[in-house]
């Protein structure tokens, strides 16, 4: 017998139902689910008469879906669905229109059940208004209501998060609980290295031992060979891979020929790269187990952290806090610039260092002047571009900016 298909127009009695569940496939299929299907009865209002609601209930969960709900899939409004029922014995198939429902878990059973008058009186005006909007409001009003509720939930979650953060901060060790804090002595209010104001020569103003200790210089001796023997190809590859800062790479191609002088300058350049890495540390980096790279010698790594960061241990020994306040960041810059002055024979071009530490020109000039340097300008051409280079020049007698005079000028 040939198969035949018969289309049944949609009526209140001939209506197919398709359902998808938001949380995926249900365990055990649909055998243990009880379904209920409801239609709108208000024939005077076409919109309400078209409203359909499908509910499903298992032993542990309830689901609900509506064809005109704000969270119903848009495809259900723009597509037409058909369901075919095949009679295998006769070979005939009945095809009827179907509604697609997106079933969502229902968690607010107690709140949405019909409340009695006593419970209804406990609802606020806004809550009553939301119930009316949910039942009779337009799509636009229901979208606005859902958006407001979501924002309110996010605000409450934010308050909880902020409260937890405040509690955590209050739980950190106070000054009275701190048992060990390394003593950090700044040699001046701005954290610049010790200097001889009465020096007659630039090389006598700052001592290298105050920037890099003899122990650190000795430790650098064992790791500086790659820089000393770097070829042009290696320097180009390091520049491409950003292994070393631009300031260091600029100087590697012009190292002295004499072995001792070459080794010393290479070590100063290597230490400069460590200072740049220390300056570029951020708060998340300070929380890591290895704050600085492991390829830095242990003696140097420990000295950098002790000199340029603060470490506090709680009385119970469980919490360790390490940070780098702004004054210690300024100190790193000051020591870095002094080391650059020594490397460049007290005539330091600032552009490369400025780019390496991502600092504005005005600020690095201010740091240079606080070291007693004079800042000069010189026009240069790089490729087809003309630029104005800034140089920090250390000359004797030293001249420092007059802070009182500068403050008075700003106020006037």
């Amino acid at each position: 017998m040939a198969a035949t298909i018969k289309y049944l127009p949609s009526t209140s009695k001939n209506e197919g139902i398709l359902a998808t569940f938001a949380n995926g496939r249900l365990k055990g299929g649909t055998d243990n689910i009880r379904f209920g299907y409801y239609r709108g009865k208000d024939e005077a209002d076409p919109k309400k008469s078209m409203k359909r609601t499908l509910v499903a209930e298992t032993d542990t969960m309830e689901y609900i879906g509506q064809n005109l709900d704000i969270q119903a899939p848009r495809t259900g409004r723009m597509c037409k669905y058909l369901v075919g029922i095949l009679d295998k014995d006769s070979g005939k198939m009945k095809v009827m229109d179907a509604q697609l429902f997106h079933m969502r878990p229902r968690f607010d059973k107690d709140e949405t059940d019909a409340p009695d008058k006593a419970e209804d009186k406990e609802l606020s005006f806004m809550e009553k208004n939301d119930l009316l909007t949910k039942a009779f409001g337009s799509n636009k009003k229901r979208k606005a209501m859902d958006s407001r509720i979501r924002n309110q939930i996010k605000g409450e979650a934010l308050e909880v998060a902020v409260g937890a953060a405040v509690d955590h901060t209050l739980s950190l060790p106070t000054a009275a609980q701190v048992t060990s804090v390394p003593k950090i002595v700044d040699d001046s209010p701005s954290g610049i290295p010790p200097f001889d104001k009465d020096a007659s020569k630039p090389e006598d103003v700052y001592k290298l031992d105050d920037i890099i200790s003899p122990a650190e210089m000795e430790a650098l001796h064992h790791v500086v060979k790659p820089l000393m023997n770097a070829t042009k190809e290696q320097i180009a590859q390091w520049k491409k891979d950003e292994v070393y800062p631009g300031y260091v790479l600029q100087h590697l191609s012009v190292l002295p020929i004499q072995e001792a002088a070459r080794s010393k300058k290479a070590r100063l350049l290597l230490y400069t790269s460590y200072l740049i890495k220390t300056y570029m540390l951020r708060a998340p980096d300070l929380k890591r187990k290895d704050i600085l790279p492991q390829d830095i010698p242990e003696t140097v790594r420990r000295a950098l952290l002790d000199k340029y960061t603060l470490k506090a241990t709680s009385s119970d020994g469980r919490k360790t806090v390490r940070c780098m306040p702004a004054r210690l960041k300024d100190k790193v810059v000051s020591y870095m610039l002094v080391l650059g002055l020594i490397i460049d024979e007290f005539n330091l071009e600032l552009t490369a260092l400025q780019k390496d530490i991502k600092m504005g020109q005005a600020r690095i000039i201010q740091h240079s002047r606080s070291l007693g340097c004079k800042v000069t300008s010189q026009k240069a051409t790089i490729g087809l571009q003309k630029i104005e280079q800034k140089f920090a020049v250390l000359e004797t007698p030293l001249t420092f900016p007059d802070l009182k005079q500068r403050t008075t000028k700003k106020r006037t």
Side-chain angles (χ1 to χ4, degrees):
M1 183 176 180
T4 60
I5 297 177
K6 182 180 180 180
Y7 172 69
L8 301 178
S10 177
T11 64
S12 59
K13 295 182 179 180
N14 291 329
E15 200 169 48
I17 299 173
L18 297 174
T20 62
F21 289 83
N23 54 346
R25 284 193 170 190
L26 301 178
K27 294 182 178 179
T30 58
D31 297 337
N32 299 323
I33 304 179
R34 298 175 292 278
F35 287 95
Y37 187 57
Y38 304 93
R39 302 183 181 90
K41 294 183 178 180
D42 191 350
E43 300 293 340
D45 189 340
K47 182 177 180 180
K48 292 182 180 178
S49 65
M50 293 174 60
K51 188 173 183 179
R52 302 289 187 270
T53 301
L54 179 66
V55 295
E57 183 179 7
T58 66
D59 295 335
T60 58
M61 182 68 68
E62 287 188 359
Y63 299 87
I64 185 170
Q66 294 179 337
N67 62 339
L68 299 179
D69 187 63
I70 185 175
Q71 297 183 0
R74 293 183 179 271
T75 53
R77 305 174 192 177
M78 297 182 287
C79 300
K80 185 173 183 178
Y81 295 90
L82 300 173
V83 173
I85 302 175
L86 176 64
D87 187 339
K88 294 182 178 180
D89 296 332
S90 64
K92 295 181 180 180
M93 175 180 287
K94 296 180 181 180
V95 179
M96 64 185 70
D97 294 312
Q99 292 274 2
L100 176 64
F101 295 90
H102 187 61
M103 308 298 290
R104 304 185 309 276
R106 181 183 177 188
F107 300 103
D108 55 346
K109 176 181 177 182
D110 296 336
E111 296 179 7
T112 55
D113 285 342
D116 57 23
K117 293 183 179 180
E119 292 176 343
D120 190 48
K121 292 180 181 179
E122 295 178 359
L123 295 176
S124 66
F125 173 79
M126 184 62 71
E127 290 170 335
K128 293 178 181 178
N129 191 57
D130 288 345
L131 290 176
L132 290 172
T133 302
K134 187 174 182 180
F136 306 105
S138 64
N139 281 347
K140 184 176 180 181
K141 287 187 176 181
R142 281 185 283 175
K143 284 181 180 179
M145 180 190 72
D146 287 347
S147 177
R148 175 174 55 78
I149 292 175
R150 282 196 302 268
N151 291 336
Q152 181 180 355
I153 293 174
K154 289 179 181 179
E156 293 173 354
L158 180 62
E159 289 180 3
V160 173
V162 171
V166 171
D167 293 340
H168 173 69
T169 302
L170 293 176
S171 68
L172 291 176
T174 60
Q177 296 173 314
V178 172
T179 57
S180 64
V181 178
K183 185 179 180 182
I184 296 183
V185 180
D186 284 340
D187 305 289
S188 73
S190 60
I192 67 175
F195 59 92
D196 183 0
K197 190 175 181 180
D198 299 324
S200 58
K201 298 183 295 183
E203 52 267 29
D204 294 334
V205 176
Y206 295 101
K207 300 297 184 183
L208 181 60
D209 288 349
D210 293 326
I211 309 298
I212 311 175
S213 67
E216 291 174 280
M217 285 292 286
E218 180 61 28
L220 293 172
H221 178 72
H222 303 287
V223 293
V224 78
K225 290 291 184 182
L227 271 69
M228 290 178 59
N229 304 322
T231 62
K232 291 183 178 180
E233 291 75 15
Q234 286 177 320
I235 295 174
Q237 188 62 40
W238 288 341
K239 183 177 181 180
K240 181 180 178 181
D241 298 338
E242 298 182 351
V243 177
Y244 293 103
Y247 174 81
V248 175
L249 295 176
Q250 284 183 4
H251 290 71
L252 287 182
S253 58
V254 291
L255 290 176
I257 298 177
Q258 201 274 331
E259 183 73 14
R262 189 180 184 88
S263 174
K264 179 180 179 181
K265 193 164 187 177
R267 280 183 277 177
L268 299 187
L269 290 171
L270 183 58
Y271 195 84
T272 302
S273 72
Y274 296 160
L275 287 176
I276 293 174
K277 289 179 181 179
T278 304
Y279 177 81
M280 297 303 292
L281 291 174
R282 297 293 180 261
D285 301 325
L286 295 171
K287 296 178 182 179
R288 297 174 182 170
K289 181 180 179 181
D290 298 322
I291 298 175
L292 290 170
Q294 287 295 311
D295 58 357
I296 300 178
E298 176 63 24
T299 302
V300 179
R301 189 165 66 248
R302 186 170 56 250
L304 289 171
L305 293 177
D306 289 344
K307 188 183 292 186
Y308 303 113
T309 66
L310 289 175
K311 180 180 178 183
T313 306
S314 60
S315 56
D316 57 7
R318 295 181 179 179
K319 293 182 179 179
T320 301
V321 182
R322 190 177 287 277
C323 62
M324 186 187 295
R327 65 183 180 86
L328 291 183
K329 274 191 169 291
D330 289 341
K331 183 176 181 179
V332 179
V333 177
S334 297
Y335 277 63
M336 189 190 310
L337 289 173
V338 170
L339 188 55
L341 287 168
I342 295 173
I343 293 172
D344 288 328
E345 298 179 354
F346 309 100
N347 189 3
L348 172 63
E349 201 276 310
L350 298 172
T351 305
L353 276 179
Q354 177 188 336
K355 290 180 180 179
D356 288 335
I357 62 177
K358 298 178 174 60
M359 179 177 286
Q361 187 180 80
R363 191 175 170 200
I364 200 169
I365 288 175
Q366 182 182 0
H367 274 286
S368 301
R369 287 175 175 160
S370 70
L371 296 171
C373 295
K374 294 179 181 178
V375 179
T376 61
S377 301
Q378 181 178 330
K379 292 183 179 180
T381 302
I382 299 179
L384 300 177
Q385 186 180 7
K386 293 184 178 181
I387 63 171
E388 185 179 41
Q389 294 178 316
K390 296 292 183 180
F391 290 84
V393 182
L394 187 65
E395 297 177 346
T396 54
L398 295 177
T399 56
F400 292 95
D402 190 345
L403 297 179
K404 292 183 179 179
Q405 183 179 2
R406 185 174 62 181
T407 305
T408 304
K409 287 181 179 180
K410 283 185 179 180
R411 290 178 178 176
T412 55

